[in-house]
Amino acid sequence: MDSGLPTGVIQYDIVHTTVYSYRQPVSFGEHRVMFRPRDSHDLRVLATDLEVSPESIVRMIQDPHSNSVALVQPLVSATELRIVASFTIEHARTYNLELPLSPSAADFPFCYSIDERFDLEHYLRPLHDDPAGKLSAWARQFIRTDGPTGTRELLVTMNQHIRDQFSYASRDDEGTQTPLRTLALGTGSCRDFALLMMEAARRLGYATRFVSGYLYDPAVDGGNDHAVGAGYTHAWLQAYLPGAGWVPFDPTNNLLGGNQLIRVGVARDPAQAAPVAGSWYGEPEDYLGLTVSVTVHRV
């Protein structure tokens, strides 16, 4: 069927449902909800809706990274807090491997300009300690010894290595594993792999940032490909490459752009891009659990 959209543009309907359950009614503090995709030249939001139960006051703001954030304040106590975000988007395919880099940044190592370094300072600084140099040594294995190392090619190789050599495991625990723990275990979730590659690249001089969002799985609509991490919120990273700008890398699926990755939030630290965060007041045993589901369908 002809969608009437330009070549390379796909339209998606997305529903993101988060449900907190409790044994008896509890009261709620403010919840911070990051759900709305980031509009850009390759992604356009056509419609969006946010439904919250129980009745709540909702305020929309932009955080320091210009992410769209809903501040949700439930007004009454309840045994369930349900947050349902739905929207329709158009996503143009990106061709990151074809974007030319600045000549001075074509080969590794490279240097950012003075202005770029000022703007990228927080994305260049590692978040986690590496006292024995294990992470730095792991990162350096992707530097070629038989000739020049391409700046982009180093990251492409690292991205594929993580997908091929590490085992994916969905985790319900809050937070993100440290890169050293992910290296030691050889397993992790999408956010763990994103942080590992972010921190490794930062130790080589790349500016990187964490990205949270959604992942389209072609298998949902009858396709043959299957994307790991679909059905929940997803995480990957972007590296800033002079001449090409912020380039996405998904080490969980070895994706390099395209239009399966749907950005919602970006941050220097994964903790700043949590899809939902908030507080509640009651007895510890009142908390029964959290369920999250994300459906992404091609229109």
Side-chain angles (χ1 to χ4, degrees), residues 1-289:
M1 182 176 68
D2 184 3
S3 66
L5 297 175
T7 302
V9 176
I10 294 178
Q11 191 173 105
Y12 294 120
D13 282 337
I14 304 170
V15 179
H16 175 189
T17 302
T18 302
V19 181
Y20 294 91
S21 300
Y22 303 88
R23 193 180 309 276
Q24 60 183 348
V26 300
S27 57
F28 301 97
E30 186 176 79
H31 281 63
R32 182 179 183 274
V33 183
M34 190 180 293
F35 71 98
R36 189 184 192 279
R38 288 175 63 97
D39 289 276
S40 187
H41 61 278
D42 62 339
L43 194 156
R44 185 160 68 104
V45 180
L46 304 179
T48 183
D49 186 42
L50 180 65
E51 297 180 0
V52 182
S53 177
E55 182 182 359
S56 303
I57 296 173
V58 178
R59 294 184 291 123
M60 298 299 301
I61 67 167
Q62 282 190 315
D63 70 5
H65 299 277
S66 295
N67 300 311
S68 183
V69 177
L71 300 180
V72 175
Q73 178 57 67
L75 297 177
V76 298
S77 299
T79 58
E80 180 182 275
L81 175 60
R82 178 180 293 267
I83 303 171
V84 182
S86 56
F87 36 88
T88 301
I89 67 165
E90 286 181 357
H91 196 336
R93 182 174 180 83
T94 55
Y95 299 90
N96 294 300
L97 297 181
E98 298 177 9
L99 293 173
L101 303 187
S102 298
S104 61
D107 290 331
F108 177 88
F110 68 98
C111 292
Y112 292 108
S113 69
I114 293 176
D115 284 342
E116 287 173 333
R117 289 197 67 85
F118 274 120
D119 293 334
L120 297 170
E121 177 183 358
H122 295 299
Y123 301 113
L124 286 161
R125 188 181 306 160
L127 298 169
H128 296 271
D129 292 334
D130 184 27
K134 292 182 179 179
L135 181 57
S136 295
W138 183 85
R140 288 195 298 270
Q141 72 176 299
F142 301 104
I143 302 173
R144 295 182 59 171
T145 59
D146 59 348
T149 301
T151 295
R152 189 192 343 247
E153 286 65 36
L154 186 154
L155 296 177
V156 170
T157 304
M158 186 185 296
N159 198 64
Q160 181 172 348
H161 178 90
I162 294 174
R163 195 280 308 270
D164 292 346
Q165 301 301 320
F166 289 75
S167 299
Y168 174 81
S170 177
R171 290 195 302 105
D172 295 327
D173 301 340
E174 293 185 4
T176 309
Q177 288 179 175
T178 67
L180 291 179
R181 180 164 178 77
T182 301
L183 282 180
L185 295 176
T187 186
S189 67
C190 58
R191 61 186 185 272
D192 301 326
F193 294 156
L195 180 60
L196 169 63
M197 185 166 170
M198 273 177 56
E199 290 285 275
R202 285 179 179 178
R203 279 174 165 75
L204 295 178
Y206 291 86
T208 60
R209 64 185 184 183
F210 185 85
V211 186
S212 66
Y214 309 115
L215 173 66
Y216 171 63
D217 182 359
V220 172
D221 293 320
N224 294 324
D225 296 333
H226 177 69
V228 177
Y232 304 92
T233 54
H234 192 53
W236 60 98
L237 69 139
Q238 291 176 328
Y240 190 85
L241 304 181
W246 288 109
V247 177
F249 295 88
D250 176 11
T252 302
N253 293 286
N254 191 31
L255 292 176
L256 304 163
N259 45 24
Q260 288 180 242
L261 299 173
I262 302 166
R263 293 181 307 276
V264 170
V266 300
R268 61 177 175 80
D269 185 334
Q272 298 174 311
V276 182
S279 59
W280 60 277
Y281 304 96
E283 298 299 324
E285 59 270 19
D286 290 338
Y287 181 64
L288 297 178

